[in-house]
Amino acid sequence: MDPATLIGVLAGLVIIVVANVMEGGDPTSLLLVPPMLLVFGTTLMVTLAGGTVPDAKHAMLSVKTAFTAKVRPAADVVPMVVALAEKARREGLLALEEDLRSVDDPFLVKGVTLAIDGTDPEEVREILEAEVRATKAQGKHSAKFFADAGAYAPTIGIVGTVMGLVHVLENLAQPEELGHLIAAAFIATLWGVMSANVIWLPIGNRLKRLTELEAARMELVVEGVAAIQAGSNPRIIAQKLSSLLPAGEQPTAARAA
């Protein structure tokens, strides 16, 4: 598991609470149910209104992915593909069936299986690239859901504050209550801005980044399967796949090959 989002969100909230205490504030005064319900509930509903129910369901399911997903480096694909290419060149594609049982990459297994089954190379590429596009599209929709929530939340917070200030004006005859009412009114704005920048936007950016990493890995697999099917030299395959990696990952991939 890559804990970046979990650490970032929790640490961000803790720092906010600590700063509040250092300024002499009471953290429990921030936990007012009405403004929190307004901000979180309305934000999710208006975000749902801008999309579809399936999009919202998948976005909610992807929250777990954002916090617990294991990042699989694309560079890990290179040694697996090279090993398969070496065996395929020595013994033929059919000999790879047994090796696939130990490959921990469903997309690579799918691509090599298509090749073993004798599928035309162009059709194999089309099938795999279609799956890459689908992965990108789904990740984009989930990331957009939380990016939209991050855009709506501050405005919803302002709506809550205006509602609170209206309530303040209704109680001008009770000056002893005004301080408490005004403070409560601004809690909505606080939660709107805080939820956007500490929760919604980080989750959206995390899902976007995870999709980019997974798509990059899948694209590397597509090229690797095509090279295996073409019977290319394993050394050439290693060099080709390594050249597709970001500069910082190339030396590691080259050593692994």
Side-chain angles (χ1 to χ4, degrees):
M1 182 183 80
D2 183 283
T5 301
L6 185 62
I7 292 173
V9 171
L10 291 180
L13 291 173
V14 168
I15 291 170
I16 290 172
V17 171
V18 170
N20 178 259
V21 172
M22 291 176 67
E23 291 181 348
D26 180 3
T28 59
S29 65
L30 306 180
L31 301 176
L32 298 181
V33 175
M36 292 176 67
L37 177 63
L38 174 71
V39 170
F40 284 94
T42 307
T43 295
L44 290 174
M45 289 304 100
V46 296
T47 305
L48 169 64
T52 66
V53 171
D55 285 345
K57 286 182 178 178
H58 193 277
M60 290 298 100
L61 292 174
S62 67
V63 172
K64 181 180 179 182
T65 301
F67 282 96
T68 64
K70 179 181 179 181
V71 178
R72 301 187 300 171
D76 291 352
V77 170
V78 179
M80 290 191 291
V81 170
V82 170
L84 292 172
E86 288 174 345
K87 185 164 184 177
R89 204 169 190 206
R90 289 194 313 266
E91 304 174 30
L93 284 173
L94 291 176
L96 300 181
E97 279 190 291
E98 186 175 344
D99 291 54
L100 291 181
R101 297 173 187 170
S102 60
V103 174
D104 186 24
D105 189 322
F107 189 62
L108 177 57
V109 171
K110 179 178 182 177
V112 175
T113 300
L114 287 171
I116 292 172
D117 291 341
T119 309
D120 182 78
E122 287 299 320
E123 291 183 356
V124 172
R125 179 177 286 275
E126 287 177 6
I127 292 170
L128 297 181
E129 288 182 345
E131 191 163 332
V132 174
R133 289 194 296 272
T135 297
K136 288 181 177 179
Q138 189 61 72
K140 179 181 178 180
H141 290 317
S142 297
K144 182 179 183 299
F145 183 91
F146 291 103
D148 289 347
Y152 289 131
T155 304
I156 300 300
I158 292 174
V159 170
T161 295
V162 172
M163 291 170 57
L165 292 177
V166 169
H167 189 49
V168 169
L169 295 175
E170 291 174 345
N171 290 272
L172 290 179
Q174 299 175 309
E176 69 280 0
E177 296 291 331
L178 293 184
H180 173 72
L181 292 175
I182 293 173
F186 282 100
I187 293 297
T189 294
L190 172 66
W191 276 106
V193 175
M194 186 165 64
S195 65
N197 291 280
V198 181
I199 301 175
W200 305 128
L201 293 178
I203 290 177
N205 287 331
R206 166 72 164 186
L207 292 174
K208 181 181 178 181
R209 182 57 180 154
L210 289 175
T211 300
E212 290 173 349
L213 292 172
E214 184 62 22
R217 183 184 175 95
M218 294 172 75
E219 288 167 352
L220 211 62
V221 168
V222 173
E223 297 302 325
V225 170
I228 291 173
Q229 200 168 13
S232 300
N233 186 306
R235 287 188 180 181
I236 300 301
I237 293 176
Q239 291 178 3
K240 179 180 180 181
L241 297 185
S242 296
S243 69
L244 297 175
L245 293 168
E249 296 181 33
Q250 285 183 13
T252 301
R255 287 195 298 269

